[in-house]
Amino acid sequence: MSFIIFLTAFIISAVVVPPIRLLANNKGAVALPGKRHLHTKPTPKFGGIAIALAVLLISPFIFTIDKVIASYLVSSALMLILGIIDDVKGTGWKLKLIISIIATSIFIFGSGIWIKTLGNLFGTGEIYLGIWGIPFTCFAVFGIINAINLIDGLNGLACGVSAIAFIAFAAFGYMDGNHTVFYLSLINMGATMGLLKYNYPDAKIFMGDSGSLFIGYSLSVLAILLTQGNRTIDPMVPVIVLGIPIFDTVRVMIFRAINKKHPFSADKTHLHYLMMRSGTPAISVVKTIWLLSCIMSLLAFLLHSYEGWFMLLVFIDVAIVMGIFIENLRALKTIKKQNTLNIFT
């Protein structure tokens, strides 16, 4: 049954990609080379529509449409629509924030579920947010959406990282007896991997904002459903699973703030850009970040039975190691520049 659900989502997503490519070309949803883009030929976007169609079409046949599923389907469809508009016309971060809050509010008030506890995050006992968890949930969801959106910079990168996270969430859902998380994760995983077939290594289509917003939102909802209510999964577990995009986004935002840049301004300071500028081929960068994401998911499994404060401590240690790795990338880039100058002088 589980494999059939995954396979059905995969097939639907893969089958609808060719007509969606034509639709993207007709509507002008095409990513052109140049500026911050690393691709060399015009490439249609709208790949997220294939993912969303698979999820939205299959879910009503798998689940009883209760308030949780209904709230997710309606709110995720809203994020898809926003992504489609962005792929065609472009939208600013303010509109994305507003629609994200609206979509999250639909889910919160429709399902009655939000981040009410952070677990024993600092070793002083359970941290209950109560009603303050509602704005915190809106902030957290937008943060994850933004993290997936920002890591979508190389062929297959965001697709692969997201698929790995969906696999991890499915496993945790199965372990916890959470059938909603288990099956929703399987559907999203199959749909994402169906697109990956066309997105890596040579991209025939990009998932675009229609994909990154839909996937980021779905991952957020799954994390909430996995860790809130009658839970045995600590809220730190999804943070570790999504550790690579979360770390990269937080790091970039901090440095933008230090340099007095707008936190949502576009630049090339993300991990995948730094790795490429250090001389690592794009395909190796993608595989390396996929591997790091797998390691983070494995780490989440190894630590899931520990208290939240211990997982947070380990996560901070991993972030420090990642920071050192990134600084070494910067140093390597500087050395290569100096060597190039020496050759010509």
Side-chain angles (χ1 to χ4, degrees), residues 9-20:
F10 177 91
I11 291 172
I12 291 175
S13 178
V15 166
V16 300
V17 165
I20 286 174

Side-chain angles (χ1 to χ4, degrees), residues 23 51 82 107 144 151 158 164 167 170 172 188 195 203 205 236 240 244 272 283 288 297 326:
L23 177 65
I51 296 172
L82 172 63
F107 177 78
I144 297 300
I151 204 172
I164 292 165
I167 293 170
F172 278 115
N188 274 280
L195 177 67
I205 189 171
M236 270 301 299
I240 295 175
I244 298 301
H272 51 278
I283 194 167
T288 300
S297 292
I326 289 172

